[in-house]
Amino acid sequence: MSKLKVFITRRLPQVELEQLHEIAEVETWTERQPPPYSVLLDKVKQIDGLLCLLTDSIDKQLIEAAKSLKVISQMAVGYDNIDVAAATARGIPVGNTPGVLTNATADLTWALLMAAARKIVEAEKFVKAGQWKTWEPTLLLGADLSGSTLGIIGFGRIGQAVARRARGFDLKILYYSKHRKESELEQSMGVEYAELDTLLSESDFVTLHASLSTETYHLISDRSFQLMKSSAILINTARGAIVDELALYRALITNQIAGAALDVTDPEPISMDSLLLKLDNVIITPHIGSASYQTRAKMAQMAVNNLIAGLKAEKLPNCVNNEVYEQLE
Ligand code: DGY
């Protein structure tokens, strides 16, 4: 019997592939840049399993061309690059990697928040440029965390992990999410629910942890910045397109808010023409929220496990469209 065929769109870190090799012929894209769309479109015509990343556009056209595809396994928790409805319509399960990257992403959020609050990046540039001449009472002043208010937008696993870290720094914590959490959870975590406008106007730090959808696209807009404090700092480690970046630029140059720290942009990578790159009060990192050795290894293994399950026609351990199984019942 001929082996199943699998395409993996990039080299994976520290992953156990033996079980996969037993059942499938595996082709891995080894270049640093993702496979171009045309290459991917061609590949999917011949494969049974696809392991992809958030940099691959898995759209309707591609899914419809993938006649023998049995599983799409994404090495990420977010899957806004995949047309899940098109996959579901074809009965193809889509896997993701929730949970294992929660702490790493919350840690990076915290690192960015503190770096922006205390101007770490500016301070480091200042020293390396030879500008450190003396201790000055007004040099590089930032914001206190203690006693400030943190507004968390999106209160799933990562939002909650950020809230746990905030308690150690004595912040008041507001959160907004589509569905309010049970009061027991709010009490045990020491957080208060707030409507979005209230959260924006009362927070000193606003951090985004929602997934990208038609509802959250440009959720943070000109209007949001008008509501925010002029001393506020925006942190985004979720998805770039949740923020209208031109509105953010306008807010920063008119001092509507004090600063921003972004691990995600729209598009990615950020265009070198982006006006945001010219501002000192913006920190930008290249989507490294989950980039720790242990976390990336766990994500890769989870993605491989989802892929193997899909190839064996077993339920994926982590599936975003469980409806595909209901269709079979
Ligand atoms: C995800 O998993 O969705 C992150 O953005 C990448 O780690």
Side-chain angles (χ1 to χ4, degrees):
M1 206 177 84
S2 67
K3 269 190 169 177
L4 296 165
K5 288 193 171 63
V6 158
F7 186 57
I8 303 182
T9 64
R10 224 77 62 76
R11 280 208 183 103
L12 302 178
Q14 292 167 39
V15 72
E16 181 51 69
L17 288 173
E18 220 168 88
Q19 249 194 305
L20 181 62
H21 283 297
E22 278 168 20
I23 58 168
E25 226 171 78
V26 180
E27 184 185 355
T28 301
W29 183 258
T30 53
E31 289 179 31
R32 194 162 163 219
Q33 292 301 316
Y37 182 79
S38 56
V39 171
L40 204 48
L41 186 60
D42 201 41
K43 293 276 178 211
V44 295
K45 293 180 182 150
Q46 307 133 36
I47 59 171
D48 302 280
L50 175 67
L51 195 155
C52 55
L53 308 186
L54 49 85
T55 43
D56 304 312
S57 169
I58 312 299
D59 63 6
K60 192 166 183 222
Q61 171 180 224
L62 195 132
I63 289 168
E64 285 177 353
K67 297 289 180 226
S68 52
L69 196 63
K70 297 172 181 56
V71 55
I72 299 171
S73 175
Q74 162 109 328
M75 187 186 136
V77 64
Y79 46 87
D80 45 276
N81 57 311
I82 302 175
D83 188 335
V84 176
T88 307
R90 291 254 344 263
I92 301 172
V94 177
N96 71 337
T97 63
V100 292
L101 49 82
T102 300
N103 283 325
T105 309
D107 287 348
L108 196 268
T109 303
W110 209 255
L112 287 177
L113 186 151
M114 293 194 71
R118 297 301 303 273
K119 306 194 170 160
I120 303 291
V121 176
E122 266 183 78
E124 201 254 4
K125 283 186 190 157
F126 178 87
V127 172
K128 287 191 176 161
Q131 293 177 41
W132 185 15
K133 304 295 181 202
T134 179
W135 188 91
E136 292 174 66
T138 55
L139 177 66
L140 288 162
L141 303 185
D144 274 333
L145 267 63
S146 173
S148 297
T149 298
L150 173 68
I152 302 177
I153 297 178
F155 208 58
R157 290 185 194 85
I158 299 172
Q160 290 178 31
V162 170
R164 282 195 291 277
R165 283 152 179 76
R167 292 189 70 180
F169 286 85
D170 281 338
L171 285 127
K172 174 177 173 183
I173 309 164
L174 302 177
Y175 80 94
Y176 166 76
S177 72
K178 201 158 63 168
H179 304 292
R180 185 172 177 172
K181 305 291 173 190
E182 311 77 53
S183 55
E184 293 77 30
L185 183 113
E186 290 180 355
Q187 273 167 22
S188 69
M189 296 202 69
V191 300
E192 280 173 41
Y193 177 81
E195 291 301 335
L196 183 57
D197 285 2
T198 310
L199 180 148
L200 290 169
S201 58
E202 291 186 4
S203 299
D204 300 291
F205 302 95
V206 173
T207 182
L208 306 178
H209 301 287
S211 50
L212 177 62
S213 65
T214 43
E215 282 167 75
T216 60
Y217 178 81
H218 286 193
L219 179 72
I220 303 300
S221 61
D222 280 312
R223 186 177 167 277
S224 320
F225 295 118
Q226 280 152 21
L227 292 170
M228 286 168 73
K229 295 183 182 180
S230 57
S231 56
I233 291 173
L234 177 75
I235 300 105
N236 189 5
T237 57
R239 285 292 182 266
I242 298 174
V243 178
D244 175 346
E245 281 178 12
L246 277 178
L248 172 61
Y249 176 74
R250 284 190 286 271
L252 287 163
I253 57 164
T254 56
N255 302 318
Q256 253 172 350
I257 68 167
L262 313 172
D263 184 47
V264 287
T265 58
D266 179 30
E268 286 185 10
I270 193 166
S271 156
M272 287 315 288
D273 296 332
S274 171
L275 296 168
L276 290 175
L277 293 174
K278 304 196 187 318
L279 303 181
D280 283 336
N281 52 350
V282 181
I283 298 172
I284 304 179
T285 50
H287 204 146
I288 54 168
S290 62
S292 75
Y293 291 108
Q294 297 88 335
T295 297
R296 286 283 166 84
K298 286 183 197 157
M299 289 166 71
Q301 196 60 58
M302 257 174 119
V304 168
N305 295 348
N306 276 333
L307 181 69
I308 292 173
L311 292 171
K312 290 182 167 173
E314 290 168 4
K315 214 166 173 173
L316 309 195
N318 289 285
C319 184
V320 305
N321 59 343
N322 277 307
E323 313 88 273
V324 290
Y325 300 114
E326 285 152 30
Q327 288 167 11
L328 298 174
E329 280 166 9

